[in-house]
Amino acid sequence: MKQIFTYTLALVLALSLVASEASAQQFSKRKQYNSVGVTLSAMNYFGDVTPKPSIPSLRFGATRPSLGVTFTHRFTPRISARAGLSYGRITGDDSKAADPNDPDGKYRYNRNMSFRNDIAELAVVGIFDLIPNRNTYVKRPDLVPYVFGGVAGYIGNPKGLYNGTYVALQPLKTEGVAYDKGGIAIPFGGGVRYKVNKSFDVGLEIGFRKTFNDYLDDVSTVYVAQSSLGSEAARYFGGGNVLSSTGEFTNFNAPGSQRGKSDEDDWYVTTGITVNYILAPRVKSPKFR
């Protein structure tokens, strides 16, 4: 609840800043403009299947690509709004991320969970430039740092590798929970934009997505009794991925034992290069009578 309050307050402050900026600046329509862009990013996630179950912990070897397209409208010398559609993948693997010698992480190593999740996102954010452009797009500053924040909707599908094939994990109910595969996220971050020429900008941006979902990786709370799991695949993922010498699934952790860390929702983050093409505004010629 405290986190939700913090992000809500930040969003309210951002909207207040937009309103005050819009009312303080006289920015003619002739100076407003649109741009379209493409983004190629490296995508990671923070969650339970990482070296540490905390936000700063990630494994760079789990980095996967993300591709996006955007449409941006410039409203004032500092304020723009951007809509973006992106698609990328997050992954995690206990056998590569967890340290069996770490007393706090040994359960993650024994859990032996691995997953991948392809996420599609539609986001709308407000962008605040730290250096204003009070002229037309042609005379915009060469280098502009900026920050952004907004709201996004996403949909994913966590999958795990079973007998050489990736299977959807959400229908298996490995923790006895019917969780949602998508939801609302709070995107925020910053970047820097460089003017290449009159029509093109190139930028570097890092963006964080705070979700309200702890199941991007299909791991959140505790183990359940294997007898309550309805399929062999569910018992494989829900029982610690451990096989006995006879080939039967063993319940590595007893029902109720820790499988994940439920007090932290999952995040995903993108770090990428953007290329924007400015759509030159049409200037209407004055009419004479």
Side-chain angles (χ1 to χ4, degrees):
M1 183 61 70
K2 184 178 179 181
Q3 285 184 338
I4 295 176
F5 174 77
T6 300
Y7 290 109
T8 302
L9 179 61
L11 185 59
V12 170
L13 291 175
L15 292 175
S16 299
L17 183 61
V18 170
S20 63
E21 175 73 11
S23 61
Q25 302 292 343
Q26 296 297 323
F27 202 62
S28 68
K29 287 189 176 295
R30 185 175 65 88
K31 294 180 180 180
Q32 296 180 20
Y33 59 88
N34 301 318
S35 63
V36 293
V38 294
T39 302
L40 178 62
S41 301
M43 195 168 183
N44 292 92
Y45 107 109
F46 306 132
D48 290 286
V49 192
T50 52
K52 296 285 185 180
S54 59
I55 292 174
S57 179
L58 59 83
R59 187 176 70 87
F60 289 103
T63 303
R64 295 295 184 270
S66 172
L67 185 65
V69 293
T70 60
F71 177 84
T72 305
H73 179 74
R74 166 74 58 180
F75 286 101
T76 76
R78 291 184 187 269
I79 298 295
S80 300
R82 182 178 73 196
L85 182 65
S86 63
Y87 183 82
R89 174 175 292 177
I90 58 174
T91 67
D93 189 336
D94 279 334
S95 67
K96 298 176 181 178
D99 182 0
N101 299 315
D102 180 1
D104 184 52
K106 188 174 182 180
Y107 80 92
R108 294 194 301 277
Y109 182 82
N110 291 327
R111 179 180 61 198
N112 195 28
M113 179 64 182
S114 65
F115 82 100
R116 73 183 192 189
N117 192 342
D118 295 330
I119 296 177
E121 176 196 270
L122 176 63
V124 178
V125 301
I127 300 172
F128 182 79
D129 289 349
L130 303 184
I131 299 176
N133 172 28
R134 304 186 188 282
N135 298 301
T136 64
Y137 77 96
V138 177
K139 296 182 179 181
R140 66 191 185 279
D142 290 334
L143 193 68
V144 179
Y146 63 90
V147 294
F148 67 89
V151 64
Y154 71 92
I155 184 70
N157 190 16
K159 294 182 177 181
L161 187 62
Y162 176 67
N163 286 342
T165 302
Y166 279 95
V167 298
L169 297 174
Q170 188 255 13
L172 301 181
K173 298 182 181 180
T174 54
E175 293 184 2
V177 176
Y179 59 84
D180 293 327
K181 294 186 290 185
I184 299 296
I186 305 298
F188 64 93
V192 61
R193 193 169 57 245
Y194 174 72
K195 176 184 175 183
V196 177
N197 55 34
K198 181 180 71 172
S199 300
F200 282 96
D201 286 338
V202 174
L204 178 65
E205 179 178 293
I206 180 170
F208 298 87
R209 271 70 172 174
K210 163 70 174 86
T211 76
F212 303 95
N213 182 356
D214 195 24
Y215 282 100
L216 294 184
D217 48 22
D218 193 62
V219 176
S220 179
T221 57
V222 298
Y223 287 93
V224 297
Q226 284 202 357
S227 58
S228 68
L229 300 174
S231 68
E232 195 173 81
R235 291 191 292 275
Y236 174 76
F237 289 106
N241 294 6
V242 177
L243 286 170
S244 70
S245 58
T246 61
E248 296 178 352
F249 292 101
T250 62
N251 191 11
F252 172 75
N253 283 326
S257 298
Q258 184 179 13
R259 185 171 184 256
K261 192 171 183 180
S262 61
D263 58 343
E264 293 286 349
D265 290 325
D266 295 335
W267 296 55
Y268 57 98
V269 56
T270 58
T271 304
I273 296 174
T274 65
V275 178
N276 286 302
Y277 175 73
I278 295 175
L279 304 172
R282 292 183 178 181
V283 179
K284 294 183 179 180
S285 300
K287 295 181 179 181
F288 298 96
R289 295 185 178 180

